[in-house]
Amino acid sequence: MEVLYFAWVRDRVGTAREQIDLPDSVSTVGELAHWLASRSSGHAAAFRNCELLRAAVNQEHVPFGHPVAAGDEVAFFPPMTGG
Amino acid sequence: MIRVQGVDFEPGAEIDKLLHGRTAVGGVASFIGVVREDPRGPALRAMTLEHYPGMTERMLAAIEQEANRRWNLSASLIIHRYGRMVPGDRIVLVVTAAPHRQAALESCQFLIDWLKTKAPFWKCEETEEGEQWVEAQVRDDVAAAKWQTEPAAN
């Protein structure tokens, strides 16, 4: 699975994207966020408060209860500030 | 039509090109978003817009499609820039053309309200005090939410 990070989420994690092997215990975006948080202190800082984060699966906005699968592209980012 | 680009755009030329040959158009509305300095804050040197390539184009196309479903439009255009810009630089252009003004004006506001909360862009400000990511504004969510319930007039 490809995981992408944007804006301050990327700053805290320390990388813009990473390839991960999805563990069997992870089946939703929220569970993925929880699992990613344990990978490093940077990840922990990024995922400390998931209420501040938004997610997309395969480039579509999704809630944290949305399912994830091995081939998905999952992105985590703060609320958008375009325009 | 949507475009995501690093370089500046010329609004007049873009509008002329969009309207070329469209004789059923009775009104054109446009919105230009510009890099703004907050007079109460530290001096703004630059602003960098980051985006999610691929998803940005998908979201802008979906938002434009929704505007065309709600209003009777002759043509529409969204141009959004990314990269480093300085105060006064243009960031975004929205143009809507319709047989009548109400559809053009309403859909233009709808597009800019929706893209602020749905298109994956993030602003990072550079000031003399350092760099800081701009936080999303509750008022932007409120502006976007009003279009969820308000029926389109035309």
Side-chain angles (χ1 to χ4, degrees), chain A:
Chain A
M1 168 184 284
E2 180 109 58
V3 184
L4 281 66
Y5 308 105
F6 293 94
W8 58 254
V9 182
R10 181 201 55 240
D11 290 348
R12 291 184 191 177
V13 169
T15 184
R17 60 173 63 212
E18 58 186 339
Q19 199 74 38
I20 59 155
D21 291 322
L22 193 67
D24 291 340
S25 59
V26 170
S27 62
T28 68
V29 171
E31 288 166 5
L32 176 64
H34 184 75
W35 179 78
L36 288 167
S38 67
R39 282 170 67 86
S40 76
S41 58
H43 287 80
F47 289 98
R48 187 168 293 135
N49 185 354
C50 283
E51 285 182 12
L52 300 177
L53 299 181
R54 301 290 180 269
V57 172
N58 300 325
Q59 305 188 355
E60 298 280 353
H61 292 292
V62 294
F64 272 50
H66 192 276
V68 288
D72 287 342
E73 175 181 299
V74 181
F76 291 98
F77 42 78
M80 291 143 287
T81 54

